[in-house]
Amino acid sequence: MIVDDQTLVRQGVRGLLELLPDIEVVGEASDGKEALDKIPDLAPDVLLLDIRMPRMDGVAVLTALNAANALPPTLVLTTFDDGDAAVAAIKAGAKGLMLKDVSLEDLADAIRSLANNGTAFQPAMTDSLMAAIRRGPAPMPDEIVADTLTVREREVLQLICGGYSNKEIADLLVLAEGTVKNHVSNLLLKLDARDRTRAALKALQQGHLE
């Protein structure tokens, strides 16, 4: 499902996605309130959500759906590299975040990742995310003990924060994908995080990747 207040954007994204055999657009909404009305009936597997909209913005939509335990895996799309808005969206439950100038190939890959319980963060947004998080509140009380992470785990965590998949991390670090999966599992355990998004957010908030 596509939620965006700009008609041309919605129609353009829909037209492109409908060219792909494995992705079906089940509906659209022009603002957050309309999205909340339609999502229960449409039950999308993945939600593409604009972050800046009239009446109800993307963060408010995420917050409302999360509170109702009805939030589908959500990819936030934004025109601006806005770190503060991105952090707010992640905290509200977004599983992915990309700029609207993303290629169709990358957008489709992100949708597939979210549909399979993964995450998708555009590497180009990492710097603004880190800057926004560092301007934010003090670290959470359950801080990571830096010495518990190995050098390799830190490398994997840095790439997770950049939005890379296990396969991409394996290629970059010249490792077997199974080895990367083991590192990710260890990281989630050490960081007391239930998924990659929360692990990345916790690590960035606490400044352990500087």
Side-chain angles (χ1 to χ4, degrees):
M1 181 176 177
I2 304 167
V3 183
D4 196 298
D5 63 305
Q6 297 182 356
T7 303
L8 284 176
V9 171
R10 289 199 317 276
Q11 292 177 346
V13 172
R14 180 171 196 149
L16 289 171
L17 291 178
E18 287 180 339
L19 297 174
L20 305 175
D22 61 329
I23 295 177
E24 177 187 0
V25 180
V26 297
E28 303 176 14
S30 60
D31 59 48
K33 288 188 179 295
E34 184 182 358
L36 292 183
D37 289 339
K38 290 185 173 182
I39 285 171
D41 291 331
L42 294 174
D45 295 313
V46 176
L47 184 66
L48 301 187
L49 182 65
D50 189 12
I51 206 165
R52 303 287 188 192
M53 295 182 292
R55 293 213 299 168
M56 179 180 280
D57 65 16
V59 174
V61 171
L62 288 163
T63 301
L65 291 172
N66 226 342
N69 198 29
L71 178 63
T74 301
L75 176 65
V76 170
L77 296 174
T78 178
T79 306
F80 308 102
D81 191 358
D82 186 340
D84 291 320
V87 170
I90 293 169
K91 288 181 177 179
K95 293 292 186 180
L97 207 149
M98 290 185 160
L99 296 175
K100 286 183 180 177
D101 64 358
V102 65
S103 69
L104 174 59
E105 180 181 6
D106 287 343
L107 178 59
D109 285 344
I111 292 170
R112 295 181 186 113
S113 177
L114 267 66
N116 286 287
N117 299 313
T119 58
F121 292 91
Q122 195 170 8
M125 298 200 71
T126 303
D127 289 343
S128 65
L129 278 172
M130 292 179 72
I133 291 169
R134 288 167 185 158
R135 290 196 301 271
M140 293 177 284
D142 55 337
E143 289 193 11
I144 303 163
V145 178
D147 292 341
T148 66
L149 300 185
T150 66
V151 172
R152 182 64 83 190
E153 286 169 349
R154 285 178 175 278
E155 291 173 342
V156 172
L157 185 57
Q158 181 72 65
L159 291 169
I160 288 174
C161 290
Y164 293 92
S165 67
N166 285 351
K167 184 179 186 307
E168 290 169 332
I169 293 172
D171 291 342
L172 288 167
L173 298 181
V174 195
L175 297 171
E177 189 172 351
T179 301
V180 173
K181 289 180 180 178
N182 289 336
H183 285 311
V184 172
S185 296
N186 290 336
L187 283 167
L188 295 182
L189 182 63
K190 289 182 179 181
L191 303 182
D192 190 25
R194 70 184 188 187
D195 57 39
R196 296 162 68 101
T197 301
R198 286 169 177 78
L201 183 59
K202 183 176 288 190
L204 291 169
Q205 280 181 311
Q206 296 173 7
H208 293 291
L209 298 179
E210 296 184 63

